[in-house]
Amino acid sequence: MVSGANDSKTPPIVSLTAGGVAGGIEAFTSYPLEFAKTRVQLRSQKGIPTPKNPFLVVTRVYQKEGIRSLYKGCAALVVGSIGKDGVRFLFFDQIKHAFADPQTGTLSPLRNLAAGMTAGVVASITCVTPTERIKTALIDDARNEKRFRSGLHATSVIWKEHGILGLYRGFVGTTLKQASATAFRLGTYNILKDFETTRNIPQNTATNFANGSVAGIVTTLCTQPFDVIKTRSQSAHGMSTAEAVKSVLVDYGIKGFWKGTTMRLGRTVFSGGILFTSYEAAVKIISPLYSGLTHMVVAETLD
């Protein structure tokens, strides 16, 4: 699990499963804010200014395009989040345990960040980049050509037109974002939890949610430029990382790299709390089931 010494024996399968469950819940519940943030970061249509208020973006899309458009790309994000959070919780836990102090079971702040960064790179390679590409392409396509009927159809079209590289468009920006975001999110959360553990602060739902929210704020402010570059790279037609950087500078200047910060901040504070609270709850449910199943298998083997 993501906490300190008491979690050193959490089985990998529990970390993977609990992370996947938490990621799916977090992605679905916070998707409207993710949708609004992505719309703002994509290039504006001429003569149609994009509002900065995320709730106004969501309201306008709902009124003009309907609820289906508002959740365009949601399935891709949920699937990606299940894989992403399962993988990054798994790798973070294993790396964290490998570098933890043998006496206290905790890590230094730098080792916490390093463990999170490594987990983020693995998650980006295995599942995040292609699913983020599909999600972003669907959101961009919904406001323009409307040629993608679903996530599977978008995957098929992109594959036929650009091959495997088309699904990994924006890989550099996504990996930079995932490495830094996972480092700051999991690292900050674990630092806070280790601090609380050493001072006997009770770990409950409210504490988990608060820690996750703080981790979300730190993550957003530190990694927003990577998120903007990733979104531009993964638009419906796609562009290279260099082209994405140039387009942001041309459109908005340096400040453009923090485009959508307010919207993403609202989502990450909310989703960070949900993610870690769901993860802790899932571990508490899955661990006993896993232990019982393991003991049952061992007993049957001995018989």
Side-chain angles (χ1 to χ4, degrees):
M1 203 159 61
V2 184
S3 51
N6 296 332
D7 301 318
S8 59
K9 295 183 180 179
T10 303
I13 188 64
V14 175
S15 295
L16 180 66
T17 306
V21 170
I25 293 172
E26 176 268 329
F28 183 79
T29 54
S30 63
Y31 190 75
L33 290 174
E34 172 69 15
F35 177 92
K37 182 264 306 180
T38 302
R39 270 283 177 99
V40 169
Q41 290 176 341
L42 290 164
R43 299 196 97 155
S44 300
Q45 296 169 287
K46 291 183 177 180
I48 307 178
T50 304
K52 295 182 179 180
N53 187 323
F55 299 103
L56 185 56
V57 174
V58 170
T59 301
R60 286 186 178 180
V61 171
Y62 174 74
Q63 291 175 340
K64 295 181 179 180
E65 303 173 41
I67 190 69
R68 292 186 64 181
S69 291
L70 185 59
Y71 271 85
K72 201 81 170 180
C74 180
L77 184 67
V78 169
V79 170
S81 294
I82 291 173
K84 171 189 70 177
D85 288 306
V87 168
R88 67 181 183 179
F89 272 110
L90 169 64
F91 276 85
F92 181 80
D93 283 352
Q94 300 310 304
I95 295 168
K96 183 193 71 175
H97 295 154
F99 290 104
D101 184 294
Q103 294 183 335
T104 65
T106 60
L107 280 75
S108 67
L110 285 178
R111 286 189 175 186
N112 264 310
L113 294 176
M117 187 174 294
T118 304
V121 171
V122 174
S124 178
I125 295 171
T126 55
C127 55
V128 177
T129 300
T131 54
E132 281 282 329
R133 165 68 163 127
I134 298 303
K135 178 214 74 175
T136 306
L138 282 167
I139 292 175
D140 189 25
D141 178 73
R143 66 178 188 152
N144 293 307
E145 299 177 58
K146 296 181 174 60
R147 62 176 184 150
F148 297 147
R149 296 191 297 270
S150 65
L152 287 176
H153 182 245
T155 302
S156 175
V157 171
I158 293 172
W159 180 279
K160 288 179 181 178
E161 293 179 351
H162 306 288
I164 185 71
L165 294 180
L167 294 176
Y168 273 84
R169 180 77 76 178
F171 173 73
V172 174
T174 302
T175 302
L176 287 172
K177 178 206 169 185
Q178 282 302 310
S180 56
T182 305
F184 284 110
R185 175 173 270 194
L186 295 184
T188 300
Y189 182 85
N190 208 53
I191 289 168
L192 290 171
K193 195 154 192 178
D194 284 343
F195 174 82
E196 293 162 355
T197 300
T198 59
R199 284 158 179 75
N200 298 317
I201 297 175
Q203 297 300 302
N204 50 40
T205 300
T207 306
N208 293 335
F209 195 95
N211 289 347
S213 296
V214 172
I217 293 172
V218 173
T219 300
T220 300
L221 296 179
C222 293
T223 65
Q224 188 64 17
F226 298 135
D227 191 59
V228 174
I229 293 169
K230 174 199 72 69
T231 298
R232 284 293 180 94
S233 297
Q234 295 178 328
S235 58
H237 293 285
M239 61 179 71
S240 69
T241 300
E243 290 171 336
V245 172
K246 182 180 179 181
S247 72
V248 173
L249 289 172
V250 168
D251 289 347
Y252 305 109
I254 293 294
K255 66 179 182 180
F257 290 107
W258 275 266
K259 195 78 170 173
T261 297
T262 302
M263 298 182 185
R264 186 171 172 230
L265 192 59
R267 177 178 182 267
T268 51
V269 170
F270 176 62
S271 67
I274 290 177
L275 178 68
F276 288 106
T277 303
S278 300
Y279 179 80
E280 302 287 1
V283 168
K284 290 179 181 178
I285 295 171
I286 296 170
S287 287
L289 295 175
Y290 176 79
S291 297
L293 182 61
T294 302
H295 291 152
M296 186 184 300
V297 171
V298 171
E300 290 179 356
T301 303
L302 293 176
D303 289 343

